[in-house]
Amino acid sequence: MIILISAGRSAIGVNYPDPPDAGTFGAMTADGDEGPPRQRNPRGAGDRLRDELIEAAVRVLAAHGDTERLSIRAVAAEAQVTPPSVYRCFPDRRALVRTAVQACFGRFEAHQAQAELGAPDPFEALRRRCRAYVGFGISEPELYRAMFGAWSAGPKALGTYGRRPHPGAGSFTALVALIQRCLDAGAQTRQPGGFLAFQLWSLLHGLTDLRSGKPELPWPDAEAMIDHYLVCVGLRAIRQRR
């Protein structure tokens, strides 16, 4: 990574968006001309840099909980590269924010999917998914706040409105599909799957956001509240009478 950064600096002349540092001037001749042309990056180096920038962007989000704090300069500082290095991988700030939010939702969905593994029936799988949802938000409150920001991480801010699915669409789609499996297995409710998905999401989000924002309150056990939610919306398994 350090070698890549050094090679990248020698490729940039005086057209930095910010004042060039001393190392940049060192790569120029006395007449102001650029020094020797930059050597070609090793195969795959660009992909590695992009991955490292995404990880750095996620760390910035986790530290501040607000996509407005996710600037090109902040990510460059976190990744210990120059701002022009970020622009080589992302054309603008919106693309960087969208990719970072997408990476966060990828982890969020993977965490929930992992929790479902080994569940004996769809009702237990849904119960585990709900617990994983709340657990993720409570353990990563700033990241959760950034992901579900109504304005800063919405379709308009991320540039997805009318163009592509929102980064969080996959997680919600998985919830709808799992609820449909519960309905197919005999869930005691007359509400359609879409309605139940929005209802359950609203309950889980409220629980997660409130517990994260007001940790000093004497909250009841989160798992007990989730079980009660599922009973209320008719998505718990029917107990067989003996």
Side-chain angles (χ1 to χ4, degrees):
M1 184 63 189
I2 296 176
I3 295 175
L4 175 62
I5 296 170
S6 299
R9 285 183 173 177
S10 63
I12 303 299
V14 295
N15 293 324
Y16 269 44
D18 306 304
D21 54 23
T24 305
F25 284 115
M28 299 171 57
T29 65
D31 295 329
D33 296 328
E34 295 185 5
R38 180 174 65 85
Q39 296 180 353
R40 184 182 298 274
N41 288 332
R43 183 182 299 273
D47 293 336
R48 288 196 300 272
L49 174 60
R50 188 177 189 277
D51 291 342
E52 291 172 4
L53 291 173
I54 294 173
E55 290 298 318
V58 171
R59 291 195 298 271
V60 172
L61 286 178
H64 300 292
D66 187 359
T67 58
E68 295 299 326
R69 302 287 295 274
L70 190 63
S71 64
I72 296 292
R73 188 180 298 277
V75 173
E78 179 65 29
Q80 298 183 347
V81 299
T82 59
S85 297
V86 180
Y87 280 113
R88 292 194 199 102
C89 299
F90 301 97
D92 52 35
R93 178 185 172 278
R94 174 180 282 185
L96 174 62
V97 173
R98 181 172 57 244
T99 304
V101 171
Q102 183 175 1
C104 293
F105 271 107
R107 296 182 183 183
F108 179 60
E109 172 54 28
H111 180 70
Q112 295 177 88
Q114 179 67 30
E116 289 183 33
L117 296 178
D121 55 63
F123 297 101
E124 177 61 21
L126 179 61
R127 180 169 176 260
R128 294 183 183 184
R129 170 172 280 269
C130 291
R131 288 182 172 187
Y133 181 112
V134 176
F136 182 94
I138 293 176
S139 63
E140 297 282 357
E142 300 296 336
L143 203 60
Y144 182 87
R145 188 174 296 112
M147 291 163 57
F148 287 94
W151 299 107
S152 60
K156 185 176 181 180
L158 297 183
T160 62
Y161 188 80
R163 296 182 178 88
R164 68 193 80 181
H166 186 273
S171 178
F172 185 73
T173 300
L175 177 62
V176 173
L178 184 51
I179 288 176
Q180 186 59 51
R181 288 172 54 198
C182 292
L183 294 175
D184 295 340
Q188 296 297 293
T189 176
R190 296 183 178 180
Q191 297 293 349
F195 178 92
L196 292 168
F198 278 110
Q199 184 180 32
L200 186 55
W201 180 27
S202 299
L203 293 169
L204 295 175
H205 176 68
L207 174 61
T208 304
D209 196 48
L210 285 171
R211 288 182 74 103
S212 299
K214 297 292 183 181
E216 73 279 5
L217 294 180
W219 289 98
D221 180 69
E223 294 185 356
M225 293 186 71
I226 290 171
D227 288 346
H228 187 67
Y229 289 163
L230 293 173
V231 171
C232 290
V233 299
L235 291 173
R236 288 295 288 151
I238 304 173
R239 294 183 179 180
Q240 300 294 332
R241 295 182 179 178
R242 295 181 179 180

